[in-house]
Each structure stands twice: as C-alpha cells, then as structure tokens.
Amino acid sequence: MRFRAKIVDLACLNHFSRIINTTAKLAKTCILRLTVCKLYFILSDKVANGGVSMWCELNQGNFFDEFQMEGVAAEHNEIYLELVPENLSRALKTAQSAKAVKIKLTNKHCPCLRVAVELPSLSSSSRIVTHDIPVGVIPRRMWNDFREPSVPDFDVSIYLPVLKTMKSVVERMKNLSNFIVIEANLNGEMNLKIETDLVSVTTHFKDLGNPPWASEDECQSSAQGRDLESMVEACIDIKKLQQLLAGQQVNPTKALCS
C-alpha cells in the first residue's frame, strides 16, 4: 500500500487548500479515499441524528503534477484513510508561497500522511518544512460504509442565491430562533422564514432558477406535474445551516438545494 503525490502549480495548491478548509469546517474527522484517477473526502455521519454527510470527488489530474498509488491489493486498488482535516489544513497553510508540496503515506510509529513543503530560498539550499499527520487505515471490510450516497427523491430543486448573501441573512436570523424554514417552488422562488410566538420574519428570493434534471428512470417523478407556484418547505437547525455556509471556501459558481 503506497501513495505519493506532488503539487507544483500554486493555483492548484490554493484551490486544493480551500477544499480542505471547507471540509475542516464541517467535521472533526473525515475519510480520504484514494484511487488511481480520483481522490474523495467523505463525511458519513447519520443525518437523521443531526450529523453532516458529504461527498467530495476530485479528479487528481486537476490538482497534482505527480500522483502514484498502490492499493491494498491488485483487485482492490484503493486506500481508505481516516484523518483530521484541520491538521491537513494547518499543514497547507505553510505552503501559500511554496515552490512545491509533496504528500506521501508513511509509517512513522503509526501511519502518517507526510506533507513536505518546499519554500523559496535566497540561497542555493532549499528550505523544506515537513508535517507528519497521523491517519487511520480503514480495513476493507468497512469500505461499504463509505460508498457514494444515493440522491433521494425530492419535490423541488432550486439554485441557491449567492452564498455570501444567504450567509448574511442566516446570521441575522439565528438570533431570533434555533430553527429556520426553507421553502421553495419550481418557479425559481425561495424563502427563508423564522416564526416564533413573538416574531415572524421572511426573506424572499426570486428568479433563482430550477436545475433541469434528467429522469431516465423517473426517480424525480414527484416533481413532475407539480404546480409551479406551490411551495415545499423544510425546517432545519439554523446553526447547522450557518456552519455549512460559513465553511464554504471554494466560491462555487452554482449551488443548489433539493
């Protein structure tokens, strides 16, 4: 079982760092899944119990100049590691002006991800800062616990407004209630509502647009035939929503809610 990778392009490094920072904001631990072509950051807490679930899939060729890995076996050419994303985030903060960053799976008293940051130097000798991040190796019998989640059937899917704007609204509302109601329809309209015995506050968003979903197997059939103006709503913990919005570091061009 081996893994080593190298990032030279500073823009790729910065974008990779922002993804790690976002993951670190959402959970204390996560699963890093490594394959020949891709790497994944996975959070698989039980949402029903108030946890956060996440599936982040990255093409390694978009980030790494070198990428080599050998899995646990030829027929199971993958590696699953449990790590603290905050530790990886801190290591990459030292690499904001790095000439190169090397990441390698080592076994130093315990399994570690070694992050070697090559910094620019005024002399001929290079400066290298090394971080050893402890990881846990997930045994193959547990791999099925970290498979890609299926998308559940939904009534409405809508593009979200600019996340910075939405974050600002939610931060103001969190002082009024512990829960927020999100409602949306198929006409590009979404509302954020707080309703208590003392106050009722609603923020309206219009013309957001609804993503087109291909329904080859009719898995999104519940949205078909629905009145475009009819609102569907969900009540969620406002702190969980704030945590999600505050953790966004990658500035997505589009985000959607279903």
Side-chain angles (χ1 to χ4, degrees):
M1 189 171 65
R2 298 178 180 177
F3 166 67
R4 65 172 62 217
K6 182 178 182 180
I7 304 178
V8 175
D9 188 282
L10 195 58
C12 293
L13 176 60
N14 289 335
H15 191 55
F16 185 69
S17 297
R18 286 194 291 269
I19 293 170
I20 304 300
N21 293 341
T22 297
T23 305
K25 296 281 188 180
L26 294 176
K28 293 182 178 179
T29 62
C30 73
I31 302 301
L32 171 60
R33 174 189 173 194
L34 300 167
T35 68
V36 174
C37 298
K38 296 183 179 182
L39 63 159
Y40 307 78
F41 292 96
I42 305 167
L43 306 178
S44 60
D45 288 350
K46 300 299 182 183
V47 178
N49 297 329
V52 176
S53 180
M54 183 190 82
W55 180 268
C56 176
E57 181 176 321
L58 308 176
N59 289 318
Q60 59 90 358
N62 293 338
F63 297 90
F64 296 95
D65 297 271
E66 298 176 15
F67 191 93
Q68 301 174 3
M69 64 85 58
E70 295 179 14
V72 296
E75 66 275 17
H76 299 285
N77 195 20
E78 300 183 26
I79 301 174
Y80 285 72
L81 304 172
E82 184 178 28
L83 58 84
V84 177
E86 178 64 25
N87 290 340
L88 183 55
S89 174
R90 288 176 179 171
L92 293 176
K93 283 180 181 178
T94 64
Q96 293 179 355
S97 60
K99 294 172 61 177
V101 173
K102 297 179 181 179
I103 304 175
K104 180 181 179 181
L105 181 61
T106 65
N107 194 353
K108 185 179 180 181
H109 307 301
C110 68
C112 291
L113 270 184
R114 172 166 292 181
V115 180
V117 180
E118 184 179 350
L119 298 172
S121 175
L122 297 177
S123 64
S124 58
S125 59
S126 61
R127 295 187 300 151
I128 297 178
V129 179
T130 301
H131 306 263
D132 285 323
I133 302 169
V135 297
V137 179
I138 304 297
R140 202 170 69 201
R141 68 178 183 274
M142 298 176 62
W143 286 7
N144 285 333
D145 294 341
F146 309 106
R147 294 301 177 187
E148 182 174 5
S150 59
V151 178
D153 194 9
F154 51 77
D155 296 299
V156 167
S157 188
I158 190 168
Y159 290 116
L160 291 174
V162 176
L163 294 186
K164 286 185 178 179
T165 302
M166 189 172 174
K167 175 185 172 220
S168 177
V169 172
V170 172
E171 284 180 345
R172 286 171 170 79
M173 286 183 160
K174 73 178 175 60
N175 297 320
L176 302 175
S177 175
N178 293 326
F179 295 92
I180 188 170
V181 173
I182 300 179
E183 62 177 11
N185 62 20
L186 293 173
N187 199 34
E189 298 172 334
M190 187 184 81
N191 301 326
L192 301 178
K193 299 195 304 184
I194 292 288
E195 293 182 341
T196 69
D197 295 337
L198 299 177
V199 66
S200 177
V201 179
T202 304
T203 301
H204 303 271
F205 298 94
K206 295 184 177 181
D207 302 320
L208 297 176
N210 301 90
W213 284 97
S215 54
E216 297 176 0
D217 56 356
E218 300 297 323
C219 63
Q220 278 86 36
S221 58
S222 63
Q224 297 180 359
R226 174 178 290 278
D227 178 11
L228 298 182
E229 303 289 339
S230 177
M231 287 286 184
V232 174
E233 66 178 36
C235 182
I236 63 173
D237 186 331
I238 196 168
K239 291 183 179 179
K240 294 290 185 182
L241 179 59
Q242 184 191 19
Q243 181 186 18
L244 172 67
L245 296 173
Q248 293 304 312
Q249 308 279 319
V250 293
N251 299 322
T253 54
K254 289 183 179 180
L256 61 89
C257 176
S258 299

